[in-house]
């Protein structure tokens, strides 16, 4: 589980009760689960040789886009679907948004914030559900971002 500060100490582990995606100051979706944030830099091998030895080094190479996976109970809100639909329709301008992922403590106060540049929902999955079931229909979204930055709360 990720992220609300249990105290005001900067080294305390974060916990969160809710996560939201905000675009232009407007919360378009709220989530009960953050399945993860992934950032990755591929290592590149470099061989250097001198008169005495050959040294193999690994250096930072190509960066991969940051990926977030969020999950929530499906609701009647259309904002997340409309954003994903822009991607499906190939409308790159409308699809790529700068937005924020905000993590909230149980008291409703933000505990962490990430800024995402040129983000877009790459995958939207609606889980299985049997008719007449009392289970909640779950929706999972994978958001890809060119750049992610942890910012102060």
């Amino acid at each position: 589980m990720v992220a609300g500060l249990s105290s005001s100490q900067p080294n305390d582990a974060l916990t969160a009760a809710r996560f939201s995606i905000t675009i232009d100051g407007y919360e378009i979706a709220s989530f009960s689960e953050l399945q993860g944030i992934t950032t990755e830099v591929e290592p590149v091998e470099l061989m250097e040789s001198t008169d005495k030895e050959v040294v193999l080094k690994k250096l930072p190479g190509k960066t991969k886009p940051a990926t977030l996976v969020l999950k929530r109970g499906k609701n009647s809100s259309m904002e997340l679907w409309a954003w994903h639909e822009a991607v499906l329709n190939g409308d790159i301008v409308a699809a790529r948004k700068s937005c924020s992922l905000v993590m909230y403590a149980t008291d409703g106060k933000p505990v962490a914030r990430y800024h995402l540049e040129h983000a877009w929902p790459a995958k939207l999955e609606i889980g299985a559900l049997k008719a007449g079931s009392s289970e909640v229909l779950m929706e999972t979204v994978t958001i890809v971002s060119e750049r992610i930055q942890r910012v102060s709360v």
Side-chain angles (χ1 to χ4, degrees):
M1 187 78 174
V2 177
L5 283 178
S6 57
S7 72
S8 61
Q9 300 300 316
N11 293 325
D12 288 346
L14 293 173
T15 61
R18 183 174 78 87
F19 309 89
S20 73
I21 294 292
T22 305
I23 298 175
D24 297 330
Y26 176 70
E27 184 177 296
I28 67 155
S30 180
F31 300 88
S32 58
E33 186 177 339
L34 171 63
Q35 292 183 334
I37 299 174
T38 304
T39 61
E40 185 176 351
V41 179
E42 293 179 357
V44 174
E45 292 185 352
L46 176 68
M47 286 182 45
E48 288 185 350
S49 64
T50 64
D51 293 338
K52 297 180 183 180
E53 65 182 344
V54 174
V55 178
L56 179 63
K57 294 183 177 182
K58 289 198 176 192
L59 301 172
K62 183 175 85 173
T63 59
K64 292 185 178 181
T67 304
L68 291 77
V69 180
L70 297 147
K71 193 171 187 176
R72 68 178 181 171
K74 179 80 177 118
N75 59 28
S76 61
S77 172
M78 294 295 289
E79 285 91 353
L80 191 59
W81 175 256
W83 188 19
H84 184 62
E85 196 169 36
V87 176
L88 292 172
N89 293 333
D91 189 348
I92 303 301
V93 174
R96 294 168 21 112
K97 305 270 187 194
S98 290
C99 61
S100 294
L101 168 67
V102 185
M103 301 175 183
Y104 295 93
T106 54
D107 63 3
K109 292 181 182 174
V111 294
R113 182 182 307 267
Y114 290 84
H115 177 72
L116 295 90
E117 289 182 27
H118 305 296
W120 51 278
K123 182 178 179 181
L124 190 61
E125 180 181 351
I126 298 171
L129 186 67
K130 292 182 181 179
S133 172
S134 61
E135 295 177 26
V136 174
L137 181 60
M138 298 303 290
E139 180 176 45
T140 305
V141 64
T142 301
I143 297 175
V144 175
S145 173
E146 285 183 13
R147 185 169 185 267
I148 185 168
Q149 180 181 10
R150 171 77 190 268
V151 294
S152 63
V153 179

